[in-house]
Amino acid sequence: MRVLLVEDDPKQLMPLQTVLSQAGHSVDGVKDGETAQWLLSEKEYDLLILDWMLPRVSGINLCRQYRSAGKTAPVLMITARDTTPEKVSGLDAGADDYLVKPIDLVEFMARVRALSRRSPLWQGDTLRLEDLHLHLDALTIERQGTVVSLSSREFQLLEYLMRHPRQVLTRNQIEQAVWEWGTEPESNAITVLVRKLRQRLQAVGAANWIESIYGMGYRLISPEQQCPKKQ
């Protein structure tokens, strides 16, 4: 998933960002609400993790603004505020879940997995498209009994494609979804990454599921969904 993590305490930001990245997520970690506000105006995220107390713009105001804009990605509020009225305020502002500090990283990741499974495509910790399975916990793909491991970047690309099946995704969209904010991939990085992912998919007989759309980008589509070629 593409995750926006906003936490002003570096001692808390770093371990959270690390554990999310190790789980295969692409994470933009920032320390203030104003930067987060700008990122939310520029990029789409699959999950927001917001500290309540942030410099410049608070996490709860970020959450309210995000919902007012009609955005629907799950929001996990993290905070030291632990009274019932404060929890109610956080949830009423649009948060989907609420985690009180100090944060246990095991519970934190369980909450993240639970929020990520809200998509109907998820079954347990597996994202499924027809008979192609992407296992979140092991960073593997599985089809017809064959299992293949993916690199973190390959996993992020396939997850993004599987979350948007049959949609043409531009190179810019893929770059924003897979590479962290502030990093600039080389000009041929997406081409190379798609080629590597096709090699992984070839091992499970699904290399042709990634379709190149000339001048536009790529889409993930099974052979059964592809238009028959003209004779």
Side-chain angles (χ1 to χ4, degrees):
M1 291 190 297
R2 182 78 176 175
V3 180
L4 176 62
L5 170 63
V6 194
E7 167 61 74
D8 63 323
D9 183 353
K11 293 181 180 178
Q12 303 210 38
L13 175 66
M14 290 306 296
L16 296 178
Q17 188 163 4
T18 298
V19 74
L20 286 166
S21 298
Q22 289 174 341
H25 302 299
S26 177
V27 186
D28 287 338
V30 296
K31 300 175 184 175
D32 68 87
E34 194 171 72
T35 303
Q37 201 173 39
W38 178 80
L39 282 172
L40 288 170
S41 70
E42 295 289 320
K43 304 163 81 76
E44 295 293 331
Y45 290 94
D46 302 306
L47 173 66
L48 278 60
I49 302 171
L50 308 175
D51 185 19
W52 183 314
M53 298 298 292
L54 292 170
R56 301 172 186 166
V57 181
S58 70
I60 196 166
N61 281 335
L62 275 175
C63 187
R64 289 195 183 101
Q65 293 168 9
Y66 184 73
R67 294 300 185 218
S68 296
K71 301 293 184 66
T72 58
V75 175
L76 171 61
M77 189 73 68
I78 54 176
T79 178
R81 299 188 173 202
D82 60 355
T83 67
T84 297
E86 288 168 336
K87 293 177 182 177
V88 170
S89 295
L91 294 170
D92 284 348
D96 297 271
D97 199 1
Y98 195 101
L99 188 58
V100 175
K101 297 179 180 179
I103 293 176
D104 181 287
L105 291 179
V106 174
E107 180 183 1
F108 171 73
M109 287 308 299
R111 303 282 185 119
V112 168
R113 288 194 297 273
L115 291 171
S116 73
R117 290 195 294 263
R118 295 195 169 190
S119 167
L121 296 172
W122 283 98
Q123 296 180 345
D125 286 335
T126 299
L127 184 60
R128 177 180 177 183
L129 181 63
E130 298 192 12
D131 61 350
L132 181 66
H133 298 75
L134 179 67
H135 297 295
L136 178 64
D137 55 347
L139 305 190
T140 58
I141 50 174
E142 179 180 0
R143 183 169 183 254
Q144 299 176 352
T146 301
V147 179
V148 176
S149 297
L150 302 178
S151 70
S152 178
R153 197 79 80 186
E154 292 162 357
F155 175 86
Q156 290 166 5
L157 173 58
L158 185 57
E159 181 189 12
Y160 183 55
L161 291 169
M162 290 182 74
R163 283 180 178 275
H164 303 85
R166 298 180 294 280
Q167 295 181 31
V168 178
L169 302 172
T170 67
R171 287 175 170 270
N172 185 53
Q173 287 176 308
I174 292 172
E175 180 179 325
Q176 290 198 15
V178 177
W179 273 267
E180 292 77 12
W181 171 61
T183 61
E184 187 169 345
E186 296 182 2
S187 58
N188 66 339
I190 293 175
T191 301
V192 172
L193 181 58
V194 170
R195 185 170 66 242
K196 289 182 177 178
L197 181 56
R198 279 185 171 136
Q199 291 171 350
R200 305 287 188 239
L201 289 169
Q202 187 174 22
V204 297
N208 60 342
W209 284 38
I210 298 180
E211 191 174 47
S212 299
I213 309 298
Y214 181 74
M216 298 180 68
Y218 301 94
R219 68 176 171 181
L220 185 69
I221 186 167
S222 69
E224 289 74 16
Q225 296 168 328
Q226 295 174 10
C227 295
K229 295 182 179 178
K230 296 181 179 178
Q231 299 296 320

